[in-house]
Amino acid sequence: MSSWDLPPDYPLSSDFVRRLKSALATGDKDTVQELICTEAKPVDAVIELANDDWMKEPSAQLPTGALLGLWTLEYKRELTTPLCIAAAHGHVLCVRHLLSRSADPDASPGGRAALHEACLGGHTACAQLLLQHGADPDLLNAEGLAPLHLCRTPASLGCAQALLEHGATVQLECGPGRDTPLHVAAQHGLDEHAQLYLVRGARVDARNGRGETALSAACGAATPSPDEQARCLRLCALLLRGGAAADARDEDERSPLHKACGRARPSLCTLLLLHGADAGALDYGGASPLARALQTVTCAPPAAQHRTVQALLNYGSPSVWPDAFPKVLRTCAQVPAVVEVLFNSYTQLRVSESWLEVVPEEVYQTHEAFYRSFFALAHTPRCLQHLCRSTIRKLFGKKCFHLVPQLPLPEPLQKYLLLEPEGVLR
């Protein structure tokens, strides 16, 4: 019989658990220490902190899902030990005291041992104590994840260092996604963790269960804050310097560039292109990086919404099929700089006055100068300067970004050749 099936030493209904949960909720460290170090018996006592098994209580308020017949037979039950509680909250003195009383560092009645808790909380001192007392650095939790896979925050760098010093496997693949620690660092934009793992021998192009490399995982990760985006950019630069393939495809044939475009990350897209990413690559669904960029253009920083599209075109991405331009106009009308950059990538594209219907009236009014110049081209051919630009760009092809700056031309003309938007069309 497993510890899950045995009655806990301190069930949820006990006075001990009530006082412990109250102390934890209020941050009363002294009371927590008193309870888990003095009152809890034995030292590895099983403590029940949660149990939502409503089937055991006929008078319980049933969840909406149960009333609809959608409730599963699974329920949440949280079992833990004094050592796990101490490690989870960074109580170093409690951890030391419990270990001195021969607490088992690998006990995990609820599926997570104390070392897992310490890593999740980024409590380096607790992790070091546990490892010094024999905690298994590769012990898997109930989800099949090792402690290194739970080092998911900047604060957990010390825990990762301690784990590796005590023999943790840097290339361990585990969990539902068969991720390595480097994949986890990439998914969370942890550049310092990634550097640590690479120094310790992590393979930069190892694949997980979805066929992703760490670079691919990093490019597809959400980075909502500027700090997270900066860390992710440093991480990707580190991986590329370490030999990561800029064009590695996952199981859906998506490249890191596809994912960076899908996340509206102009700086990251430029970094990948500089390292040889294919601007014209197609995934299994036939989507190009440019298509992904156009779908997410309104999510990019306002000052850089056109940058990804501009970079892709300057690195040889095919433009949108002419017949599909009205769809692009409908999606990107509120970002006229994108419409301008894309429109200027064609030598000649016939403008139809019917396209005016897809531009919302308020958008037209906000950007009236641009759209007046745009629809004026329904009756006027492009200027000679634009035709010369198109000829030069066609000649340079995928090398536009590299060759145009070498031309003996004033900087404004170089920017013109590289599709820098001007705010009007001629």
Side-chain angles (χ1 to χ4, degrees):
M1 182 178 291
S2 70
S3 57
W4 177 273
D5 300 314
L6 291 171
D9 296 288
Y10 295 97
L12 183 64
S13 59
S14 66
D15 178 67
F16 175 90
V17 172
R18 180 187 61 75
R19 288 185 290 141
L20 176 61
K21 293 185 71 171
S22 175
L24 289 171
T26 58
D28 185 350
K29 292 185 178 181
D30 292 338
T31 300
V32 171
Q33 180 173 334
E34 175 71 19
L35 288 169
I36 65 177
C37 291
T38 305
E39 289 196 32
K41 307 256 189 255
V43 69
D44 288 325
V46 176
I47 302 169
E48 184 180 50
L49 289 182
N51 188 340
D52 64 1
D53 184 8
W54 52 268
M55 295 180 70
K56 290 183 178 179
E57 179 53 63
S59 63
Q61 182 75 31
L62 297 186
T64 304
L67 297 174
L68 295 175
L70 303 176
W71 195 256
T72 69
L73 295 180
E74 297 180 358
Y75 64 95
K76 178 183 176 182
R77 187 187 189 195
E78 183 180 353
L79 298 177
T80 187
T81 66
L83 187 60
C84 288
I85 293 173
H89 292 83
H91 296 318
V92 181
L93 295 179
C94 290
V95 170
R96 181 179 288 112
H97 173 76
L98 293 167
L99 289 171
S100 72
R101 295 174 59 202
S102 301
D104 181 0
D106 289 339
S108 54
R112 286 207 306 247
L115 188 55
H116 298 130
E117 300 286 6
C119 292
L120 280 169
H123 303 304
T124 301
C126 292
Q128 289 173 332
L129 274 172
L130 291 163
L131 289 163
Q132 289 164 6
H133 283 77
D136 182 354
D138 284 337
L139 181 68
L140 302 184
N141 67 7
E143 298 173 331
L145 299 174
L148 270 181
H149 291 72
L150 301 179
C151 294
R152 301 170 178 169
T153 64
S156 67
L157 179 62
C159 295
Q161 291 172 326
L163 287 165
L164 292 170
E165 289 168 1
H166 284 80
T169 305
V170 75
Q171 203 54 43
L172 188 64
E173 298 178 8
C174 58
R178 291 193 0 242
D179 291 317
T180 67
L182 186 60
H183 282 98
V184 175
Q187 290 159 5
H188 293 85
L190 302 176
D191 55 318
E192 292 182 305
H193 288 64
Q195 185 172 20
L196 173 66
Y197 300 152
L198 290 172
V199 169
R200 293 283 184 157
R203 297 198 305 273
V204 72
D205 273 339
R207 304 274 181 157
N208 63 13
R210 298 174 295 280
E212 294 176 311
T213 62
L215 179 63
S216 179
C219 291
T223 52
S225 74
D227 285 346
E228 289 172 317
Q229 292 184 20
R231 285 203 310 269
C232 181
L233 190 61
R234 291 196 300 269
L235 169 64
C236 291
L238 171 70
L239 294 172
L240 289 163
R241 288 196 304 271
D247 211 32
R249 307 295 188 89
D250 65 13
E251 63 183 5
D252 295 318
E253 281 296 302
R254 291 196 180 108
S255 68
L257 186 57
H258 277 100
K259 297 183 179 185
C261 289
R263 289 292 183 183
R265 300 287 309 282
S267 298
L268 182 52
C269 292
T270 300
L271 177 68
L272 292 167
L273 290 165
L274 282 168
H275 282 81
D278 183 0
L282 300 179
D283 63 18
Y284 269 145
S288 67
L290 180 60
R292 298 286 290 148
L294 291 170
Q295 291 167 358
T296 59
V297 69
T298 56
C299 301
Q305 289 175 314
H306 66 283
R307 292 298 179 196
T308 300
V309 174
Q310 184 181 12
L312 290 168
L313 293 169
N314 284 330
Y315 274 92
S317 170
S319 196
V320 175
W321 184 253
D323 290 346
F325 196 86
K327 294 182 180 179
V328 175
L329 189 59
R330 181 180 295 108
T331 302
C332 304
Q334 60 185 300
V335 190
V338 171
V339 177
E340 180 182 352
V341 168
L342 189 63
F343 188 77
N344 283 335
S345 67
Y346 301 91
T347 300
Q348 186 74 41
L349 179 63
R350 184 175 179 181
V351 177
S352 171
E353 291 181 327
S354 64
W355 295 355
L356 185 58
E357 298 175 2
V358 305
V359 180
E361 178 63 27
E362 63 274 15
V363 172
Y364 185 95
Q365 291 177 359
T366 302
H367 306 286
E368 184 174 0
F370 171 78
Y371 281 112
R372 283 172 62 89
S373 69
F374 178 80
F375 286 105
L377 294 176
H379 310 287
T380 307
R382 298 304 302 269
C383 67
L384 181 59
Q385 183 173 315
H386 168 73
L387 298 178
C388 291
R389 170 172 59 185
S390 295
T391 301
I392 294 173
R393 289 181 59 81
K394 184 176 181 180
L395 178 64
F396 286 175
K398 295 181 179 181
K399 298 181 179 179
C400 276
F401 187 86
H402 298 290
L403 295 181
V404 168
Q406 299 179 33
L407 294 175
L409 296 172
E411 185 179 350
L413 277 180
Q414 290 183 358
K415 289 184 175 181
Y416 180 82
L417 290 173
L418 291 174
L419 303 179
E420 187 70 18
E422 300 176 306
V424 294
L425 289 165
R426 297 191 297 273

